[in-house]
Amino acid sequence: MDKKRFFSGFIWKFSERTMSQLVSFIVSIILARILSPHDYGVVALVNVFIIIADVFVTSGFSSSLIQKKEANATDFSTIFWCSLVFSIFIYGIIFATSPWIATFYHNDQLTVILRVFALKLPISAFNSIQQAYVSRKLAFRKIFVSTSTATIFSGIVGIGFALSGWGVWALVIQYIVNAITETMVLFLQIPWKPSFLFSSSSAKELLGFGWKVLATELLGQFFNQLRSLVIGRFYTAADLAYYNRGQQFPNILSNNIDATISSVLFPVMAKHSDDVEKLKSMVRRSIRTSTYLLMPLMLGMAVITKPIILLILTKKWIAAVPFMQCLCVSGAFGSVSNANMQVIKASGRSDVLLKLELVKKPIYVVFLLASIKISVFAVAFSMATYSITATLINMFPNKSVIGYSYREQFIDLFPALGLSTAMAVIVWSITLLNWNSLLTLLIQVMVGAAVYVGGSILFKMESFFYVLGFLKNK
């Protein structure tokens, strides 16, 4: 039953993320043709602060509800009020400090934009509790409906305001409309509604777990934003654009798969938090299956980067190729790191998560500082190296948490890694023929798929037959 619910949830969650990102990508292309780079730059600066603030009002609260074995109506109501009050408090801080932020960036326009943009924080707080309810029920179809509706509707609204000459405000309105629509559609779909219930003992218990998750994710988001700020400070806007474009394509695959696994795996594991053998079995299955699916996509993309860039973004973005190749390689290991983090969180060991971040982030800073004065590519290479290092660190605690050793983890991921590497080498050799980009890309994709599937059958890879069996049953 758990396997069936997991894969059903996985399919709906993956569909939701793929649909929303596809629509967002199309909308962003249209808006980019209407609005100026300055408009996008202003929103990007503001969004750094909103992303960090959003962690405060969503991360720890919702995770504590999902992790608790038997969360009742009082627990949900208690965390709802805590989250809402905290979001208003954070909004007050942003409202008060926005003039200082505008002065720091020498842009008075940021004051009012930041104050309006931050209005989405209380909405996000409400939505995070809804998301926790849906995650506990593994009813991800409802999130698919709400997210898809919100993305399409807000995209239409944003384009309309942009065509009407609203400039940067078209982007701000799009973000806020998206948050409101997603929350309202989910509100109409689920039975949970806010109520006037509050328990101080429930708040103490849930926040005792949640604050460590919050601190962990806050550290992660802060350092993610730091990288872009540092590149923008030491290099040109074009360099930052090439880096972000190089990151965009691998992120579409790795983030979608990783975020989907996180959303579905955590609530399923949390239901078995007291069964170590069950947790170990689930995380092993997750790593075997996710690496089998993700590694060929990421390593394959790394070797077909040039024709992808030329066909989709044209020659003016050719400088993004080395960044994309580098970040594809590091993204191949993301699912391993993510699965290990989820089982630690599901076990109730939020203290371990926080300790891991306190170990990893000094390493991150060292890598960033060592590379920033060399070149932007050096930054990309150092970040890829850090990602692999972070994966090895995240693997370590599960030897004691669930008895899942390094040796067992490498045994589980090696078949996919070995076959994907061989496939990538064969696909790369096709570029030596110097055919046109479209023909090269088509042949590379077909050869890569044939080699990977053929190798899976030839070497009798367990993950291939597992996925095949599931698809046949569906």
Side-chain angles (χ1 to χ4, degrees):
M1 182 62 181
D2 281 333
K3 180 174 76 172
K4 181 178 179 180
R5 295 177 71 197
F6 173 80
F7 274 102
S8 176
F10 180 89
I11 290 170
W12 279 113
K13 186 63 181 178
F14 185 73
S15 299
E16 172 251 318
R17 290 192 60 84
T18 303
M19 174 71 172
S20 64
Q21 291 207 5
L22 177 61
V23 174
S24 296
F25 182 69
I26 295 171
V27 170
S28 69
I29 291 174
I30 298 172
L31 289 174
R33 292 176 179 273
I34 302 171
L35 303 174
S36 69
H38 171 76
D39 294 331
Y40 273 95
V42 170
V43 172
L45 287 174
V46 169
N47 205 33
V48 169
F49 300 95
I50 301 301
I51 288 172
I52 294 173
D54 206 47
V55 175
F56 278 103
V57 302
T58 61
S59 297
F61 296 110
S62 59
S63 294
S64 62
L65 286 172
I66 298 172
Q67 195 277 334
K68 187 174 181 181
K69 197 78 170 177
E70 299 292 338
N72 55 36
T74 301
D75 294 324
F76 271 87
S77 180
T78 298
I79 291 300
F80 167 75
W81 291 113
C82 288
S83 181
L84 185 62
V85 170
F86 199 50
S87 69
I88 295 172
F89 173 72
I90 296 296
Y91 176 80
I93 293 175
I94 291 177
F95 188 94
T97 58
S98 56
W100 297 345
I101 295 171
T103 301
F104 178 79
Y105 284 109
H106 306 291
N107 189 335
D108 293 336
Q109 190 183 16
L110 291 181
T111 299
V112 65
I113 291 175
L114 189 54
R115 286 173 172 176
V116 174
F117 205 164
L119 289 171
K120 74 185 288 288
L121 292 176
I123 303 169
S124 297
F126 186 8
N127 183 253
S128 69
I129 309 303
Q130 294 177 315
Q131 297 264 354
Y133 180 88
V134 172
S135 296
R136 284 186 65 89
K137 303 293 184 182
L138 298 180
F140 291 101
R141 183 182 65 83
K142 300 182 188 302
I143 296 181
F144 172 81
V145 173
S146 63
T147 303
S148 300
T149 303
T151 305
I152 294 170
F153 179 65
S154 65
I156 294 171
V157 170
I159 291 170
F161 275 95
L163 289 171
S164 300
W166 283 63
V168 66
W169 286 104
L171 295 170
V172 175
I173 292 169
Q174 181 196 2
Y175 275 97
I176 294 176
V177 169
N178 184 288
I180 293 172
T181 306
E182 183 176 352
T183 302
M184 290 303 298
V185 174
L186 206 51
F187 182 85
L188 296 173
Q189 291 186 90
I190 64 175
W192 178 81
K193 301 294 184 289
S195 59
F196 292 99
L197 296 173
F198 188 86
S199 168
S200 56
S201 60
S202 176
K204 183 178 180 180
E205 176 189 357
L206 291 167
L207 295 180
F209 171 86
W211 79 266
K212 297 166 190 171
V213 176
L214 186 153
T216 300
E217 297 195 13
L218 181 62
L219 282 171
Q221 282 293 357
F222 173 77
F223 283 98
N224 282 340
Q225 300 307 313
L226 178 65
R227 176 179 55 212
S228 295
L229 290 175
V230 168
I231 293 175
R233 171 64 179 81
F234 286 92
Y235 295 94
T236 67
D239 290 323
L240 180 58
Y242 290 135
Y243 184 95
N244 287 341
R245 282 296 183 185
Q247 195 176 41
Q248 182 181 26
F249 287 95
N251 276 0
I252 288 174
L253 285 177
S254 62
N255 284 358
N256 275 336
I257 292 177
D258 287 346
T260 301
I261 290 173
S262 298
S263 300
V264 181
L265 191 62
F266 175 43
V268 173
M269 284 182 170
K271 293 180 182 299
H272 303 279
S273 57
D274 53 354
D275 187 341
V276 173
E277 287 301 317
K278 182 72 173 178
L279 286 176
K280 181 178 179 179
S281 173
M282 293 172 72
V283 75
R284 293 194 75 169
R285 169 53 59 202
S286 173
I287 287 177
R288 288 173 183 170
T289 306
S290 61
T291 54
Y292 179 80
L293 297 172
L294 186 61
M295 282 189 171
L297 293 173
M298 300 304 290
L299 297 184
M301 184 183 288
V303 297
I304 64 174
T305 293
K306 187 175 180 180
I308 288 177
I309 294 290
L310 289 174
L311 286 170
I312 297 177
L313 300 177
T314 72
K315 286 184 179 180
K316 69 179 180 179
W317 289 100
I318 196 68
V321 168
F323 301 121
M324 184 169 164
Q325 291 173 328
C326 193
L327 296 166
C328 277
V329 173
S330 66
F333 297 90
S335 60
V336 179
S337 181
N338 188 49
N340 276 281
M341 295 283 279
Q342 294 311 310
V343 74
I344 293 170
K345 187 162 67 170
S347 301
R349 297 301 306 274
S350 55
D351 59 314
V352 175
L353 291 179
L354 183 55
K355 289 174 183 176
L356 285 174
E357 290 303 309
L358 294 175
V359 169
K360 290 183 295 185
K361 292 319 176 194
I363 299 174
Y364 178 101
V365 172
V366 170
F367 280 23
L368 185 60
L369 293 178
S371 61
I372 195 63
K373 292 294 185 68
I374 302 173
S375 68
V376 183
F377 178 74
V379 174
F381 184 81
S382 71
M383 292 299 96
T385 305
Y386 167 76
S387 295
I388 296 172
T389 304
T391 298
L392 294 173
I393 294 172
N394 289 339
M395 292 165 66
F396 178 75
N398 278 322
K399 175 65 164 63
S400 58
V401 175
I402 58 170
Y404 192 20
S405 66
Y406 268 124
R407 180 177 178 276
E408 289 175 302
Q409 295 199 48
F410 281 119
I411 288 173
D412 287 339
L413 67 88
F414 182 77
L417 177 60
L419 183 57
S420 297
T421 302
M423 178 271 294
V425 171
I426 294 171
V427 170
W428 171 81
S429 66
I430 297 172
T431 60
L432 301 176
L433 300 175
N434 289 321
W435 291 333
N436 72 70
S437 297
L438 179 58
L439 180 61
T440 299
L441 183 60
L442 290 174
I443 292 176
Q444 285 179 314
V445 170
M446 290 188 292
V447 169
V451 169
Y452 197 70
V453 173
S456 299
I457 297 171
L458 177 65
F459 296 109
K460 297 182 172 60
M461 291 183 65
E462 187 268 346
S463 293
F464 169 76
F465 292 103
Y466 178 82
V467 173
L468 187 63
F470 172 77
L471 294 175
K472 285 182 176 179
N473 289 336
K474 285 294 180 183

